[in-house]
Amino acid sequence: MKALIKTAPGDGNLVWTDVPEPEPGPGEVQLELVAAGLCHTDLGMIHGHYGPTSGYSPRFPLVLGHEYTGRVAAVGADVDLPVDSRVVGSCHLTCGVCTWCTRGRSMLCERRQVLGLDVDGVFAERFVVPARNLAVLPDTVPDRLAVLAEPFAVAAHAVDVAGLREDDDVCVVGPGAVGLLTLGALAGRHVTVLGRREDSGQLERATELGAAEVSTDPTALRDRFDVVFETAGTAAAVTTATTLLGRGARLVCVGLPPEPAAISSARLAWNEQSVIGSRAYDVSTWSSVPERLAGAPALASVVTHTAPLVDHEHAIELVESRRATKVLLHR
């Protein structure tokens, strides 16, 4: 079978080539790729940004990719998923027995590895994942929507940890893919989306997806919101997000800025505001993902382009140039 391999550290070193087909062991499932998503974390790996100090420990050659929709091709012992089932699932390989896993916070598992970042991933004709990572998709969720499941799970977990009340005034900072998916996970709520002037197309899409208000002027939104989700992943966005918090408000940090953000702890204390970190998701998050995705069909518009894996260079250029919000890759 063929897979997209990064052959060595550093920038590039990608090849679409033949590799041995992986076989499922006990508790594992072999999936045939239906669709995969290309995200900025993948680009970081492609450009050689992740090494031993990044939180990931890639060893090369490495099959890339961690966002997937697959079809069950074969199962290992003690797995009862029907062959041909269409599934989505977590890209985290966790131990299931440590303190964090048993507390329902498997994203903090000290033995956690990530597909496509630590171990072979999903940019392949076939790949293997633990059965406990998977959720079966209903027919009402098309492939174009299903490929968003992994970043949608990130958004769904952020919404869950926010502890929203019915009357909370909510803002999402950053109208990129995760920001738009967070908007989708907040379906039915009054949500404002804040972006930059150059984000006009994304803000227009946010309106189409149900945002009650969009803005490029953070000063007009100062001290207003009960809950703010920071999804842009820059230090400046985090700092801006703190200025949007009203009294007793909560900031949920979803993005991963590469540099520290400037925050006034005195302001937080004075107004009894909280900052909450939201890291990916727990394995249990996936039990609700198919149903929540089915309830937000308009999110399929977040997938703006499709490309075969063999044309990965074009797909990368689409994301890096910001012409694409999300690229769906297929065999």
Side-chain angles (χ1 to χ4, degrees):
M1 70 167 202
K2 289 192 176 294
L4 183 60
I5 301 287
K6 185 172 175 68
T7 59
D11 193 8
N13 301 314
L14 298 184
V15 58
W16 176 246
T17 189
D18 291 306
V19 297
E21 185 170 302
E23 296 295 331
E28 293 182 333
V29 177
Q30 184 196 66
L31 298 179
E32 181 181 87
L33 181 68
V34 174
L38 177 67
C39 83
H40 286 277
T41 304
D42 298 314
L43 296 184
M45 177 60 72
I46 289 166
H47 292 309
H49 296 164
Y50 301 140
T53 62
S54 68
Y56 302 116
S57 301
R59 286 179 289 182
F60 303 97
L62 183 73
V63 180
L64 300 183
H66 63 279
E67 301 178 3
Y68 61 91
T69 301
R71 195 172 297 280
V72 176
V75 300
D78 303 319
V79 176
D80 59 4
L81 275 176
V83 171
D84 242 17
S85 299
R86 196 169 54 108
V87 298
V88 290
S90 170
C91 63
H92 297 173
L93 307 181
T94 54
C95 73
V97 297
C98 70
T99 298
W100 295 113
C101 286
T102 57
R103 287 179 180 175
R105 302 180 74 184
S106 62
M107 72 290 286
L108 301 178
C109 175
E110 292 183 1
R111 284 173 273 184
R112 167 181 169 269
Q113 294 182 304
V114 182
L115 297 175
L117 295 162
D118 297 303
V119 297
D120 282 342
V122 307
F123 289 170
E125 292 179 322
R126 296 194 177 197
F127 54 96
V128 167
V129 295
R132 70 188 185 94
N133 283 30
L134 301 175
V136 176
L137 285 166
D139 292 338
T140 53
V141 179
D143 294 340
R144 199 177 186 94
L145 179 59
V147 76
L148 299 170
E150 200 277 339
F152 181 82
V154 173
H157 176 66
V159 170
D160 291 344
V161 302
L164 291 166
R165 297 179 293 261
E166 186 174 344
D167 60 348
D168 278 339
D169 195 3
V170 180
C171 181
V172 173
V173 177
V178 174
L180 294 176
L181 292 170
T182 302
L183 174 62
L186 289 162
R189 290 185 174 272
H190 186 284
V191 182
T192 300
V193 177
L194 175 67
R196 302 170 300 177
R197 288 186 176 86
E198 56 265 43
D199 293 329
S200 58
Q202 297 294 84
L203 291 171
E204 183 178 342
R205 182 167 284 114
T207 300
E208 295 168 355
L209 291 174
E213 180 183 353
V214 297
S215 176
T216 58
D217 183 7
T219 60
L221 305 176
R222 189 177 177 87
D223 303 328
R224 168 177 157 182
F225 297 99
D226 300 301
V227 179
V228 176
F229 295 89
E230 190 289 305
T231 68
T234 68
V238 174
T239 301
T240 295
T242 64
T243 70
L244 309 182
L245 298 172
R247 291 186 176 185
R250 285 126 29 229
L251 168 61
V252 182
C253 293
V254 186
L256 299 172
E259 66 282 333
I263 295 178
S264 169
S265 61
R267 174 182 166 84
L268 295 176
W270 188 260
N271 293 290
E272 244 189 27
Q273 297 160 336
S274 303
V275 179
I276 304 168
S278 179
R279 180 180 180 181
Y281 42 74
D282 179 57
V283 172
S284 64
T285 305
W286 286 88
S287 64
S288 68
V289 166
E291 182 180 355
R292 291 165 87 164
L293 267 180
L299 285 177
S301 67
V302 173
V303 178
T304 54
H305 296 75
T306 65
L309 276 165
V310 69
D311 199 12
H312 54 271
E313 291 183 359
H314 176 58
I316 293 166
E317 191 277 328
L318 285 170
V319 176
E320 292 187 325
S321 67
R322 295 172 63 89
R323 286 193 289 147
T325 304
K326 174 63 73 174
V327 176
L328 181 157
L329 297 169
H330 57 85
R331 292 177 290 131

